[in-house]
């Protein structure tokens, strides 16, 4: 195997390393840095596929390595961020068991369902031009955007994201990752307007929203992606 065949896998390993660093930062009480590392992992996740296509370096081990890395970066890491957000939202333990309040353990449904979603993706040949269920990176980006948005408005430390919202986010995204709803991808056969209208509209909304509102716009950008997918995802297969 030539050196170029290893380049995509090296990029995938950088994705995995970014996810590990996100967990490390979260464990040391640095949620903003933890969130940033999930976005960094997302960049590596994009470029490993891009490199594989560019270099024609696809391999079975590459696909498995990508999924294993994604479970860490887009499952476990956002699970810890959501666990931290839920802890901040609780003034007093609700379901205490020993030294823990086990209610925030609900957050770890995110890595469980992201693993299920990635396993289904590996054996489903119908997800080439669109996704069945929201991709794990989409869920992770939404969760990672929350501490960034809260930090921008000065409410990261005061638990301003209510417990009910946190539980709702976990349950809704867990369901969306394994449901049969179609979500559009950004793999385009060409850059023409026709056939890519929804993608271009979404990209324009995302760029304008982030330019105007910065990190506060990120959760709403993901909500816009979900809404557009509900209405147009089935037509974009």
């Amino acid at each position: 195997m030539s050196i170029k065949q290893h380049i995509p896998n090296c990029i995938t390993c950088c994705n995995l390393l970014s996810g590990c660093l996100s967990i490390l930062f979260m464990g040391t009480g640095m949620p903003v840095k933890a969130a940033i590392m999930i976005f960094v992992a997302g960049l590596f996740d994009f470029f490993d596929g891009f490199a594989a296509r560019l270099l024609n370096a696809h391999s079975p081990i590459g696909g498995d390595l990508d999924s294993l890395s994604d479970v860490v970066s887009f499952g476990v890491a956002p699970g810890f961020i959501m666990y931290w957000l839920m802890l901040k939202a609780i003034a007093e333990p609700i379901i205490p068991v020993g030294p823990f309040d086990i209610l925030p353990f609900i957050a770890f449904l995110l890595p469980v369902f992201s693993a299920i979603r990635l396993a289904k993706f590996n054996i489903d040949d119908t997800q080439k031009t669109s996704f069945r269920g929201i991709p794990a990176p989409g869920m992770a980006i939404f969760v990672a955007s929350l501490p960034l948005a809260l930090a921008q408005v000065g409410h990261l430390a005061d638990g301003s994201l209510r417990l009910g919202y946190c539980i709702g986010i976990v349950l809704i995204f867990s369901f969306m990752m394994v449901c049969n709803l179609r979500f559009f991808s950004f793999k385009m056969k060409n850059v023409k307007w026709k056939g890519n209208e929804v993608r271009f509209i979404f990209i324009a909304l995302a760029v304008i929203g982030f330019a105007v509102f910065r990190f506060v716009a990120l959760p709403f950008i993901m909500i816009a992606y979900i809404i557009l997918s509900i209405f147009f995802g089935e037509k974009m297969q």
Side-chain angles (χ1 to χ4, degrees):
M1 184 180 289
S2 64
I3 293 177
K4 78 172 186 177
Q5 296 295 113
H6 292 289
I7 292 176
N9 292 343
C10 289
I11 299 174
T12 301
C13 289
C14 291
N15 166 9
L16 175 58
L17 178 61
S18 300
C20 293
L21 290 174
S22 175
I23 296 169
L24 174 63
F25 287 137
M26 199 64 259
T28 52
M30 293 185 281
V32 170
K33 289 184 178 179
I36 290 172
M37 292 313 302
I38 289 178
F39 280 90
V40 173
L43 289 175
F44 284 124
D45 186 53
F46 170 80
F47 282 112
D48 66 359
F50 179 79
R53 291 188 294 271
L54 182 66
L55 301 173
N56 193 25
H58 299 279
S59 66
I61 191 174
D64 289 340
L65 181 62
D66 184 69
S67 293
L68 291 169
S69 299
D70 286 357
V71 169
V72 175
S73 298
F74 309 126
V76 179
F80 273 98
I81 289 178
M82 182 54 68
Y83 176 75
W84 182 86
L85 288 170
M86 292 180 75
L87 284 179
K88 298 296 291 184
I90 297 174
E92 297 290 339
I94 297 175
I95 310 178
V97 176
F100 297 104
D101 181 358
I102 65 171
L103 181 62
F105 288 7
I106 292 173
F108 297 116
L109 288 175
L110 293 177
V112 171
F113 278 87
S114 68
I116 295 171
R117 194 260 176 273
L118 289 161
K120 289 177 64 178
F121 177 81
N122 286 347
I123 60 173
D124 188 349
D125 294 330
T126 68
Q127 299 190 55
K128 301 300 183 183
T129 56
S130 64
F131 301 110
R132 191 182 298 277
I134 192 169
M139 174 278 293
I141 288 173
F142 180 86
V143 173
S145 72
L146 298 176
L148 295 176
L150 289 171
Q152 181 179 325
V153 298
H155 290 291
L156 181 62
D158 61 9
S160 58
L161 192 64
R162 295 181 180 179
L163 180 62
Y165 295 156
C166 294
I167 294 175
I169 289 168
V170 171
L171 296 180
I172 290 170
F173 274 93
S174 294
F175 168 76
M176 284 198 299
M177 281 191 284
V178 296
C179 72
N180 288 324
L181 182 67
R182 285 284 179 178
F183 289 80
F184 66 87
S185 77
F186 293 94
K187 295 177 181 178
M188 296 185 287
K189 297 178 181 179
N190 55 64
V191 293
K192 295 180 180 178
W193 170 260
K194 187 175 182 180
N196 295 312
E197 299 92 339
V198 176
R199 294 182 178 91
F200 286 134
I201 290 171
F202 172 76
I203 292 171
L205 289 173
V207 170
I208 294 171
F210 186 78
V212 175
F213 299 106
R214 297 176 59 214
F215 297 120
V216 172
L218 293 177
F220 297 99
I221 289 171
M222 285 307 304
I223 292 172
Y225 170 71
I226 293 168
I227 293 173
L228 288 173
S229 291
I230 290 173
F231 285 101
F232 301 105
E234 199 70 36
K235 302 175 183 178
M236 297 172 65
Q237 296 186 57

